[in-house]
Amino acid sequence: MKYLSIAVSLLLLSACSMPLLALAQQESAPDGPLARAMEGPPPGFGHASGLPPFLHGIDLSEAQQDKVFAATYAQAPLLREQEKIAFKAHAQLRALAGSSAYDDAKASALANTAAQAMATISLQQARLEQQLLAVLTPEQRKQAEQRRDSRPGPRGAQ
């Protein structure tokens, strides 16, 4: 049972770490870290507009855009910190798995640390989505829901 728990934790960790690996492989901004921080959306949005995908195509007023911007960028430091924690724990877990001094308890603790960081990221993203939905008018919420339902994949299949 213990090994099954570890295997499930490692599987969850590897699935959740894919976005972190992509983030780690991104090139840094030509003018340094400050320029990167100012040039676009925080991690996880990856679109030039800075909007989460469910808001694309929805016409937002300037006040709504300001609120979306403020909410999105307010969460960036927490997300970045949790991404660093998860990435570091995952790297340490890979190193431990390949070492001759493997310790199951330490591996489990590292997997739990990474999983907890990923859970915090997921929770923060859900909170942000809820904050952004609250900014929308009822008609805009309906548009966002229609866009979400029309997308292919697990959400649209429900």
Side-chain angles (χ1 to χ4, degrees), residues 25-88:
Q25 292 174 352
Q26 288 179 347
E27 295 179 3
S28 63
D31 297 327
L34 182 57
R36 168 63 182 113
M38 300 299 286
E39 79 179 18
F45 289 111
H47 298 283
S49 69
L51 294 175
F54 76 92
L55 289 180
H56 284 228
I58 296 176
D59 189 29
L60 300 174
S61 69
E62 187 174 334
Q64 287 175 314
Q65 289 175 14
D66 290 345
K67 288 178 183 178
V68 167
F69 176 88
T72 302
Y73 279 85
Q75 77 163 0
L78 173 67
L79 289 179
R80 176 69 181 131
E81 186 61 33
Q82 294 301 310
E83 288 168 350
K84 289 190 310 188
I85 290 168
F87 188 78
K88 183 178 177 184

Side-chain angles (χ1 to χ4, degrees), residues 31 57 65 76 118 127 149 155:
D31 297 327
Q65 289 175 14
M118 293 307 296
R127 286 176 178 156
D149 290 343
R155 286 186 184 188

Side-chain angles (χ1 to χ4, degrees), residues 4-53:
L4 178 62
S5 173
I6 292 171
V8 170
S9 295
L10 289 174
L11 183 61
L12 175 65
L13 177 63
S14 64
C16 293
S17 66
M18 290 302 177
L20 296 175
L21 293 174
L23 181 66
Q25 292 174 352
Q26 288 179 347
E27 295 179 3
S28 63
D31 297 327
L34 182 57
R36 168 63 182 113
M38 300 299 286
E39 79 179 18
F45 289 111
H47 298 283
S49 69
L51 294 175

